[in-house]
Amino acid sequence: MWWYLLPGIIGFLSLAALGIVAWRVFPRLIIIDVATIAHERDAERKQQILLDRAERLRLSMVRKLQAHLRPLFRAAHETFERWYSQAIELERRYRHIGATPAIASVAVREQADASVAAGLALFKEGNIQEAEHKFIEAISIQPKCTKAYESLGRLYVQERQWNEALEAFQFLLRMDANDASAYANLGELAVAQDNVTEAIPHFEKAVALKPANPQLQALLLDAAIEAKQKELARATFGRLKEISPQFLRLSEFEERLRTM
């Protein structure tokens, strides 16, 4: 009658098997800590928050830097555009003068002279950009307006725009190779660039064209003294004293010659 016990034996063996499996798996179940999983998720979330915050801070700094640099770039661009347009305008004027005859009516000359006068007044007030505009306006009215070119060149000398000043003075000589003022201006340009020796030949040409002009003699004398050219300085001083015995700087020049 032992087969009646068979279902019970099978059930017992099944329970025993389940017990063995549970006994083996239970340590692993203990290791899986739900609280630890939540903590790890919180840590990941915090790390992501920090990364997002760092990215926002970086973008904010980039925007602030761009905001500070943008006006500087804009100002530099505007300055370049202004200088470039001025160069193009002057070049166009130069070509226009060489290609077309100048209109020399009294009304045109008076209008150009008025623009030059207005430019000189603005220049004296320190309004450089407006003064430059007036001088260029005078050139557009009368393409061979020497006063406008000379004033424009002097403006560029003050602004240390050496190439532009050189072009203006050289163009005066293209219009008139015997322009003593143009040579004097070239000499003063060289002096402004601390090239006194280079200035002397320009002043000598100016003096040769207008030997009776005491101001030109004084420019040459000043440069000769600075360059330590004693013979030229003494000869020029003698001419200046003969031409203008009452010249205000004679005593100053005499003292400088004595100490050379």
Side-chain angles (χ1 to χ4, degrees), residues 50-145:
L50 289 175
L51 290 174
D52 292 342
R53 185 177 300 168
E55 179 64 16
R56 287 197 301 271
L57 180 60
R58 185 187 68 82
L59 291 175
S60 176
M61 292 178 65
V62 169
R63 292 191 188 98
K64 289 180 180 179
L65 184 62
Q66 289 176 341
H68 282 86
L69 292 179
R70 191 176 293 112
L72 297 178
F73 286 128
R74 185 183 299 113
H77 178 72
E78 290 176 354
T79 300
F80 173 79
E81 289 291 335
R82 180 171 63 85
W83 287 350
Y84 180 75
S85 62
Q86 290 169 0
I88 294 298
E89 176 65 16
L90 285 175
E91 179 64 21
R92 190 181 72 80
R93 300 299 178 197
Y94 295 154
R95 294 180 182 276
H96 177 71
I97 292 173
T100 60
I103 301 174
S105 69
V106 174
V108 168
R109 287 198 301 271
E110 289 179 350
Q111 190 177 356
D113 289 343
S115 293
V116 172
L120 290 172
L122 290 166
F123 189 21
K124 187 176 181 180
E125 294 171 1
N127 197 335
I128 303 301
Q129 188 172 354
E130 290 299 321
E132 180 187 35
H133 175 75
K134 282 295 181 182
F135 295 145
I136 293 175
E137 179 182 85
I139 293 171
S140 67
I141 295 169
Q142 186 183 1
K144 290 189 176 181
C145 182

Side-chain angles (χ1 to χ4, degrees), residues 47 49 55 65 130 138-139 177 195 198 207:
Q47 185 179 10
I49 290 172
E55 179 64 16
L65 184 62
E130 290 299 321
I139 293 171
N195 295 325
E198 183 181 323
V207 166

